[in-house]
Amino acid sequence: MLQQTTVASSPLKKQWLTATVREVIDETPRVRSLVLDVPSWPGHRAGQHVDVRLTAPDGYQAQRSYSIASAPAADMITLTVEMLPDGEVSSYLAGEARVGDRFELRGPIGGYFVWTPDLEGPLFLVGGGSGVVPLMAMLRERAANMMMLRERAAKGATQPARLLFSSRSYEDIIYRAELEQLAGRGDGLNVIHTLTRGAPAGWTGLSRRIDAMMLTEQGFAPDLMPRIFICGPTPLVETTAFTLRELGHSPKLIKTERFGPTGK
Ligand SMILES: Cc1cc2nc3c(=O)[nH]c(=O)nc-3n(C[C@H](O)[C@H](O)[C@H](O)COP(=O)(O)OP(=O)(O)OC[C@H]3O[C@@H](n4cnc5c(N)ncnc54)[C@H](O)[C@@H]3O)c2cc1C
C-alpha cells in the first residue's frame, strides 16, 4: 500500500524513476493502459500527472506528460495513452510497449488539478476523449472512499457526482465497462455519454458536442456549488469552462487541464 505524501509538485524537483510495464490493457482500438511497477513511487493524489521520458539506443530522448489513471491507493501506477497519428511517444506507449519493457518517469506533478474526498459539494467532471484519464483517477478514488464510508457507518451513503464524457464514437469510449459498473453502485454517481461522430443504431444517449443546454441539463445548478473538473482537447476545455462561468458557476470552483501537445 503506497503512502499518501505531499511532495513539492514542481517537476524539476523530481528525480527520474524507472517504470516496468507489468500489464498492457487495450481500452479502445487506439487507446491502451499500461500498468507500471515503479519502486519508490512517492504516492500521488487523484488528478496529478507524470512526465515520461523515452531514450533511444542512440541517446535521443523524447518527453511527454501523462495523467495518472489509477487511484492513490492502487499498488501500481496506471497510465492510459491515446495513439496519435505520427505521435512520437504515444505510438510507443500505446502501440509497441510490451510487458517487461522499462522507461523513465517522474512525478507526481500538478497540485492544481486535484480532487480529494474531503472536498465538499457535488462533483461534476467533464471529459473529452483521453481527457477522461485524470477524471477516472478521481472516480476510482471516490469509489474507494464511498465503499469505506458505507462499510464504516453510512450503509446507503450517496454523494452526488456526474461525469459528462464526450467521445468520438461508441467504440472510442474509454473505460466504458468500468464506468457502467461504477455508476451501477447506487452511490450517487451518474455517467452521461455524448458521441460526436455518429452513434450506433439503438443509441439512446446524447450525440452532439457539449453545449450550454447539455451542461445545464446534465450538470448541477450553480447554487449547489459543485466542484468542477474539465479535461481534454484545448477547444473543448475552453468552451466548456467559458459556458459554465456564463451559466453562473464560480470560476474558483472550475479547474481545467488541457491535453495539448507537450513535446520536448
Ligand atoms: C498535463 C497533461 C496530461 C496529459 N495526459 C495524457 C494522457 O493521460 N493520455 C494521453 O493520451 N495524452 C495525454 N497528454 C498528451 C500527451 O502529453 C502528448 O501530447 C500526446 O501523447 C502526444 O504525444 P506524441 O509524442 O505521441 O505526439 P507528438 O509527436 O508530440 O505529435 C504528433 C502530432 O500530434 C499533434 N499532437 C500532439 N499532442 C497532441 C494532443 N494532445 N492532441 C492533439 N494533437 C496532438 C502534434 O501537433 C503533431 O502533429 C497529456 C498532456 C498534458 C499537458
Side-chain angles (χ1 to χ4, degrees):
M1 175 87 161
L2 294 165
Q3 293 311 311
Q4 189 84 334
T5 58
T6 51
V7 288
S9 56
S10 152
L12 301 172
K13 292 209 174 56
K14 313 253 176 248
Q15 72 186 80
W16 290 101
L17 304 171
T18 301
T20 306
V21 179
R22 291 290 182 227
E23 194 184 348
V24 176
I25 303 164
D26 289 323
E27 302 286 359
T28 75
R30 287 177 313 121
V31 176
R32 273 189 166 178
S33 289
L34 300 178
V35 182
L36 307 171
D37 187 6
V38 187
S40 61
W41 173 250
H44 66 277
R45 291 170 291 160
Q48 292 186 297
H49 65 272
V50 295
D51 284 342
V52 166
R53 183 166 71 179
L54 304 182
T55 306
D58 66 1
Y60 169 78
Q61 292 186 322
Q63 183 185 315
R64 303 288 188 275
S65 302
Y66 292 96
S67 298
I68 303 166
S70 42
D75 288 336
M76 301 232 191
I77 301 292
T78 302
L79 304 181
T80 300
V81 180
E82 175 178 0
M83 170 120 60
L84 290 182
D86 333 313
E88 194 179 8
V89 172
S90 62
S91 54
Y92 167 72
L93 295 174
E96 296 148 39
R98 295 284 174 273
V99 169
D101 282 8
R102 293 181 167 191
F103 53 81
E104 292 176 295
L105 60 75
R106 65 180 175 188
I109 300 164
Y112 159 78
F113 197 77
V114 161
W115 180 82
T116 48
D118 58 319
L119 288 178
E120 284 175 13
L123 179 60
F124 185 36
L125 307 176
V126 183
S130 57
V132 76
V133 176
L135 310 181
M136 194 57 175
M138 295 176 185
L139 289 177
R140 286 168 170 163
E141 165 86 325
R142 178 188 171 279
N145 187 57
M146 290 304 297
M147 274 260 276
M148 201 179 51
L149 277 181
R150 289 178 152 203
E151 273 155 21
R152 281 216 188 126
K155 278 268 164 295
T158 63
Q159 276 172 354
R162 289 178 197 163
L163 168 67
L164 176 57
F165 185 13
S166 177
S167 305
R168 287 196 181 109
S169 70
Y170 187 75
E171 290 67 42
D172 289 321
I173 300 179
I174 305 170
Y175 311 130
R176 192 174 61 230
E178 186 178 346
L179 286 170
E180 213 171 299
Q181 187 253 331
L182 290 177
R185 289 183 176 199
D187 64 8
L189 172 64
N190 276 325
V191 175
I192 307 108
H193 292 286
T194 189
L195 304 178
T196 58
R197 296 198 187 169
W203 172 255
T204 55
L206 302 166
S207 41
R208 66 181 195 276
R209 288 183 184 282
I210 293 175
D211 55 26
M213 187 152 70
M214 199 184 288
L215 291 167
T216 307
E217 289 172 354
Q218 308 302 335
F220 293 97
D223 58 358
L224 295 175
M225 301 186 71
R227 306 264 171 178
I228 303 172
F229 294 85
I230 313 166
C231 185
T234 302
L236 177 147
V237 172
E238 288 177 354
T239 315
T240 302
F242 175 79
T243 309
L244 286 167
R245 287 193 298 272
E246 291 287 294
L247 291 171
H249 289 273
S250 154
K252 287 202 194 81
L253 295 176
I254 302 174
K255 298 277 172 73
T256 58
E257 182 98 285
R258 294 161 182 75
F259 273 14
T262 55
K264 283 195 194 112

